[in-house]
Amino acid sequence: MRSTALTVGLVAAFTLAVVLAAGQVREGIPGTAPAAAGLYTTVHVLTWAGDDDLSPPPPDSSAAFRLNPNRWASSALPVAVWYNPTGAPQGIPVEDLLRNAVDQWSNIPGSAFAFSYSGTTSGGSGACDVGNRQLDGRNTVTFVTSLPTGTLGITCTVWSGGPNGNLVEFDIQLNANVDWGQSDSLGPGQFDLASTILHELGHGAGLGHPCTGSSSCTDAERQAVMYPSLRAREQRNVLKEDDKAAMAAAYPGPPPEGSGAVGPFRAVLPSVGRD
């Protein structure tokens, strides 16, 4: 199968070459799915910036969030999430971090979207297999050793029905070679696993990156969970107004029943870009 090499710019002033099979795209780049399969795939990449010199975060405010054109149908909600613990880092309660991320995305005032945590599985992340895509009907989070240096994780979303069709499955691969840490005890050179899981699940819900990760990004965009890179010891493990506004725009409606989300939604909704 013919492949196309895409170069993705990183904040840390180096580039990462991502090779995608025909029928796959990265955010903002159109692709064509194999006609027989009738499926399309998007690969979303979260990179590291590797900078330990953290400045105080700016005030949180709504920025120019981006939505991907592919969303889950209302009939598919809540979207089930599974966890394969193979290759997981020792000493970190990954399943608890995943549950927390599921809860955050499922309890946004003004958004009808919800995930549900379904437990552990031995299944893999076949949606990310660019050479031989295998779908198993499960949206699985797992760790792999095959991701290149500079990549914290990727989310591979699959949809059907044309460029604006509904999502049918996603898989998340986290880089098992990264020095992962927990938010309350991050050491030099460690990356926050909770922030990474929360970011990747946002892609699974249908969100894009708010900007490209260049110097043109606003302070609010840099603080959003969906910002495309994460520095060592940086924590973005709580949804910001930009992330919440994106979900309310993508899935408008009352909070899921029993979610515990209360109060009116007052975030300012900017114009929506799609990638």
Side-chain angles (χ1 to χ4, degrees):
M1 179 179 292
R2 185 173 61 87
S3 63
T4 303
L6 306 179
T7 301
V8 183
L10 306 187
V11 172
F14 63 96
T15 59
L16 168 67
V18 182
V19 179
L20 306 179
Q24 297 199 323
V25 299
R26 191 187 181 279
E27 291 184 325
I29 301 175
T32 303
L39 296 173
Y40 298 72
T41 303
T42 301
V43 178
H44 312 265
V45 182
L46 176 63
T47 64
W48 74 48
D51 185 1
D52 279 354
D53 185 15
L54 303 182
S55 57
D60 182 26
S61 61
S62 185
F65 61 77
R66 296 180 68 86
L67 306 179
N68 289 313
N70 312 108
R71 324 272 168 76
W72 291 93
S74 59
S75 59
L77 303 179
V79 176
V81 178
W82 298 80
Y83 170 53
N84 183 336
T86 303
Q90 298 297 312
I92 298 179
V94 180
E95 195 168 10
D96 290 344
L97 301 183
L98 180 55
R99 287 178 182 273
N100 178 271
V102 163
D103 287 343
Q104 287 197 56
W105 286 116
S106 302
N107 290 280
I108 298 174
S111 169
F113 182 84
F115 283 120
S116 64
Y117 181 67
S118 295
T120 59
T121 178
S122 60
S125 50
C128 294
D129 187 344
V130 298
N132 184 28
R133 179 176 54 200
Q134 298 290 326
L135 304 184
D136 60 4
R138 291 187 173 184
N139 309 302
T140 303
V141 180
T142 191
F143 289 84
V144 299
T145 58
S146 56
L147 294 179
T149 300
T151 297
L152 296 175
I154 65 173
T155 299
C156 307
T157 54
V158 181
W159 74 94
S160 64
N164 296 309
N166 289 328
L167 293 172
V168 297
E169 187 171 327
F170 72 85
D171 286 326
I172 293 173
Q173 292 183 344
L174 302 171
N175 195 337
N177 298 317
V178 168
D179 186 4
W180 295 110
Q182 297 188 71
S183 301
D184 58 351
S185 58
L186 291 169
Q190 287 192 318
F191 291 87
D192 187 28
L193 184 55
S195 299
T196 303
I197 291 174
L198 190 62
H199 174 102
E200 298 302 342
L201 275 184
H203 286 313
L207 300 190
H209 295 145
C211 58
T212 61
S214 67
S215 59
S216 63
C217 297
T218 67
D219 285 342
E221 288 168 340
R222 292 189 186 95
Q223 287 304 305
V225 166
M226 296 311 297
Y227 184 72
S229 70
L230 186 73
R231 293 176 291 179
R233 295 193 299 127
E234 184 176 18
Q235 298 180 42
R236 289 204 303 273
N237 50 28
V238 176
L239 296 180
K240 299 294 187 177
E241 290 306 312
D242 189 63
D243 307 302
K244 296 175 184 178
M247 290 301 287
Y251 301 94
E257 184 176 353
S259 67
V262 296
F265 182 71
R266 295 191 175 91
V268 176
L269 300 183
S271 58
V272 177
R274 289 185 170 185
D275 62 356

